[in-house]
Amino acid sequence: MNTISHARGVERLVRGQDTQDGAGVRLTRLLSHDLQQRLDPFLMLDAFGSDKPDDYIAGFPNHPHRGFETVTYMIAGRMRHRDSGGHEGLLQNGGVQWMTTGRGLVHSEMPEQEEGAMEGFQLWLNLPAKDKLCEPWYRDIQSAEIPEVTTPEQVLVRVIAGASHDVTGAVTREHTEPLYVDVHFPDQDGVVLEQAIPSSHHAFLYVYRGGLDVVTAGAPTAVPAQRMAILSNGGDGVVLRAQANTRAILIAGKPLHEPIAQYGPFVMNTREELAQAVDDFRAGLMG
Ligand code: MN
């Protein structure tokens, strides 16, 4: 299987910043504000993972959002969400909540466990200007509903968004064309996975178990666990060669090339639109 002829390399490795959000949840912010232009259309990626309840138990009480999409992927643990539209759902092991905040809503994301491990990711995906004030929408995708493909080399690919090895993911998006896959390598060193990525799309990956090499025509670049690798632009895909039992998420999308204006949980195109978002929230127009 040699379908990638010009493989992307690693532009740089990112360690992320340990921080707290919500009511005191400890997390690592991998994609931070300074990378929003470079990784357009993605605005944020947080990794959370702890078996100490004090690190997660306070959760994310009621807070608003406007202007983008949030994609929460739970590796371990249970989180209940409720929003101002009357929707409620339970996100658990291997499941995804995909929420289009559109013109705005208020929601909470609270752990539904008092002990054990809580591990997962929250990704923010921008909306094009014309859709920022759309009707809010969300979908809870249980683990069993996430399409999976096992390559001939026995790499399991969970296709949350986009497409991989001819399998279409749980979600597709017209303007940003996101790819979001969770790859599980087998119990054997040196197994290779290829993934096609359009040359104009921005791409990055995060290794959450094990370690892998990003393989190019030149020297490979090692990406250890708990590192995000920003992939160079261009080429037709990426080639990964991993240690046994490595797990990583790989994310790519088509840049919007629109101005980004952010104030906390609101992401619009101009300062005026942010001021309007704050006014609308204070006036109770987000529910
Ligand atoms: Mn939220």
Side-chain angles (χ1 to χ4, degrees):
M1 181 175 89
N2 258 316
T3 56
I4 305 299
S5 57
H6 296 286
R8 292 177 183 232
V10 173
E11 182 176 295
R12 72 170 164 120
L13 294 178
V14 175
R15 185 183 287 269
Q17 301 152 3
D18 290 334
T19 183
Q20 292 189 10
D21 208 341
V25 178
R26 298 180 81 89
L27 51 82
T28 302
R29 185 144 297 160
L30 297 160
L31 196 175
S32 48
H33 199 261
D34 55 312
L35 290 172
Q36 287 179 339
Q37 295 288 345
R38 175 61 187 85
L39 295 176
D40 174 18
F42 301 101
L43 300 163
M44 193 187 84
L45 176 64
D46 284 344
F48 50 93
S50 178
D51 53 12
K52 297 196 277 292
D54 284 351
D55 290 346
Y56 62 73
I57 204 76
F60 300 86
N62 273 341
H63 59 279
H65 290 294
R66 172 179 280 185
F68 58 99
E69 304 191 85
T70 68
V71 184
T72 309
Y73 181 33
M74 209 68 161
I75 304 292
R78 295 191 309 280
M79 191 96 88
R80 180 160 307 267
H81 68 88
R82 291 187 174 89
D83 73 33
S84 49
H87 307 115
E88 179 173 341
L90 183 65
L91 185 59
Q92 50 195 329
N93 298 4
V96 169
Q97 186 209 38
W98 195 293
M99 180 170 72
T100 305
T101 70
R103 67 167 181 259
L105 50 72
V106 174
H107 79 152
S108 62
E109 300 152 283
M110 301 299 290
E112 193 157 280
Q113 63 186 50
E114 292 175 353
E115 57 182 23
M118 175 79 76
E119 182 180 15
F121 303 99
Q122 188 168 86
L123 177 72
W124 288 11
L125 169 62
N126 211 352
L127 284 167
K130 70 176 193 60
D131 291 338
K132 280 186 174 291
L133 298 180
C134 71
E135 188 75 19
W137 177 92
Y138 88 94
R139 186 177 157 201
D140 279 326
I141 307 160
Q142 302 303 329
S143 186
E145 300 173 296
I146 295 177
E148 295 181 349
V149 56
T150 301
T151 69
E153 293 76 20
Q154 301 303 306
V155 181
L156 172 70
V157 183
R158 312 195 75 222
V159 193
I160 296 166
S164 182
H165 299 80
D166 299 321
V167 171
T168 300
V171 172
T172 57
R173 279 288 177 270
E174 187 183 355
H175 296 283
T176 48
E177 301 177 25
L179 169 76
Y180 189 163
V181 291
D182 177 18
V183 295
H184 298 190
F185 285 88
D187 183 17
Q188 175 191 351
D189 284 332
V191 172
V192 170
L193 176 77
E194 298 191 346
Q195 172 66 47
I197 301 170
S199 65
S200 63
H201 291 197
H202 292 157
F204 55 100
L205 62 85
Y206 176 75
V207 176
Y208 66 96
R209 302 266 196 288
L212 56 77
D213 285 337
V214 175
V215 181
T216 63
T221 302
V223 185
Q226 275 78 58
R227 291 293 183 285
M228 182 173 85
I230 298 176
L231 301 180
S232 55
N233 289 333
D236 56 354
V238 66
V239 179
L240 308 177
R241 186 177 59 211
Q243 298 169 17
N245 302 310
T246 290
R247 293 189 180 197
I249 55 173
L250 171 63
I251 295 168
K254 183 180 177 182
L256 290 166
H257 299 303
E258 293 176 345
I260 301 167
Q262 179 174 1
Y263 178 71
F266 309 128
V267 184
M268 304 300 291
N269 300 109
T270 67
R271 294 171 62 94
E272 292 71 24
E273 290 166 348
L274 288 179
Q276 186 67 51
V278 172
D279 287 351
D280 288 352
F281 172 57
R282 288 187 178 144
L285 299 177
M286 292 187 193

